[in-house]
Amino acid sequence: MTDLVKKISEFEKLSAPLEPTQSERNQYVQQVRDFANDFINNIDEMDSFFGTDVNADKLKVNLQPISLEKALSIYDEQVVRTGIAAASGGHVGYIPGGGIYLSAIADFLADVTNEYAGMYYGGPGAVTIENEMLNWLKDVFGFPKSAVGNLTSGGSIANLIALTAARDKHGIKNEKITSSVLYLSEHVHHCIQKALRIIGLEDVLVREVELDENSKIITSKLIELIAADKAAGLNPFLVIASAGTTDTGAIDPLEEIGHIAREHQLWYHIDAAYGGFFIMTDRAKNQFKGIDMADSLVCDPHKGLFLPYGLGAVLVKDKEALFKSHHYTANYMQDAFQEGMPLNPADVSPELTKHFRGLRMWLPLQIHGIEPFKACLEEKLYLTDYFRAELIKRGFEVGPEPDLSVSYFWYPSGGDENDFNKRLMEEIHKDGRIFLSSTKVHGREVIRMAILSFRTKKHTIDTCLEMIDRCLAKLI
Ligand SMILES: *Cc1c(COP(=O)(O)O)cnc(C)c1O
């Protein structure tokens, strides 16, 4: 044997563990399957919040092989049983997560076959699945077939992509930046401000439009602001509405804002990351009237479609505006660009090589059909009513009738109510059985509930109420 061949054979042997044998694969899958079954079977009894102590030493890369069994035990102890149990129905704080099983199966498939979902040329099947998911979203939100879009890692990147298109459509650069104006609500998600900084629009003029008592944009105020800015020789170019704010779940008057945007030729962006999929419910769909007037729209299947974290979506009507920043050809990619090919995800996103994330949306929709998703969203709306009614029975004050499934409450303790409700929140976090979060509304400390997990059921709310009774009793 030549030295060269000997060397190759040596390294082949050493790298062999990277391709486990079938019996090893079966063993891995069985161990993980058992772990997953234990996790899901016990999730209702598990706490929803565990505090934030993690032993980082146990998670360090030690470069010496350990068994999968050992790795799973560390994972359980340091990852699953710390922080918020995001897959639990008991997560009713912030915006809850999902984690439907068939998405996990789809991720497994996507990872084993490692389909390339960046360019049609490399993965025509995978890219077609992603484009079909976007076509379905266009139908859901009344967008035209000619709209383009992208499946992103989440709502933040989806918003970033949309705002980039708005910027480029209106040519907001150089000296134009400081005289250009955008309009939004103070309740807009903070990823919008982040995105503006990232895309070089930190110095545009941002007008926070006054909100009504239900935290929605007052359209007459929007009109006044635009008129004043135009009179001052400024350049209004963008208005951002929310279809379900994170704080209180409020849906801005989408249709009226749409008319104003049209009249003044503003780019109209709607962030529906939290609330968007409620458009599929009979009960809430009317509130989304006008959503199809948007130039760009963001939704988050890892919220409202109950998928595991890692899937947001953006739709944009103006393909050229979106291509301006995101489409690029390099010499080494010349084979991949051919006339008439379907949309490449890489042409509408900062990513090139990406996870084939469309499969985790496609597989559950194919296997379950759409009805269970719609029913689960309807259920969330009615659970919100139930929770509020039960809180009122217990003497709590509740915020205004919510548009969707985010609401808030506080205990009218008398005395320093903000302090009391802060302490109540602390007791609830210490208890940890169910996870709620807090916010400030009109200067008042309130406890927020956001019902969106597919695992949040009536019994979860009952458990939550028992916990609240327990915590309240400690304070009074
Ligand atoms: C969650 C959320 C976002 C951010 O999306 P991520 O998926 O967390 O990146 C943006 N806007 C709203 C309204 C949201 O609820």
Side-chain angles (χ1 to χ4, degrees), residues 329-387:
T329 33
N331 290 340
Y332 51 81
M333 303 244 303
Q334 60 188 9
D335 297 341
F337 283 100
Q338 290 170 17
E339 275 308 304
M341 270 198 187
L343 182 75
N344 292 313
D347 286 334
V348 289
S349 146
E351 296 178 300
L352 177 59
T353 304
K354 61 186 270 290
H355 181 239
F356 175 26
R357 51 179 76 100
L359 195 65
R360 55 188 3 235
M361 180 168 166
W362 181 81
L363 193 68
L365 286 172
Q366 298 296 71
I367 305 295
H368 296 311
I370 195 60
E371 287 312 319
F373 290 93
K374 285 189 187 173
C376 202
L377 287 163
E378 298 271 10
E379 179 194 34
K380 302 304 147 231
L381 296 172
Y382 288 98
L383 281 176
T384 307
D385 289 349
Y386 174 73
F387 195 5

Side-chain angles (χ1 to χ4, degrees), residues 95 154-156 159 189 191 244 246 271 273-274 300 302-303:
I95 301 290
S156 299
N159 274 300
H189 193 276
C191 74
T246 311
D271 181 1
Y274 150 62
D300 238 354
H302 68 197
K303 290 175 181 164

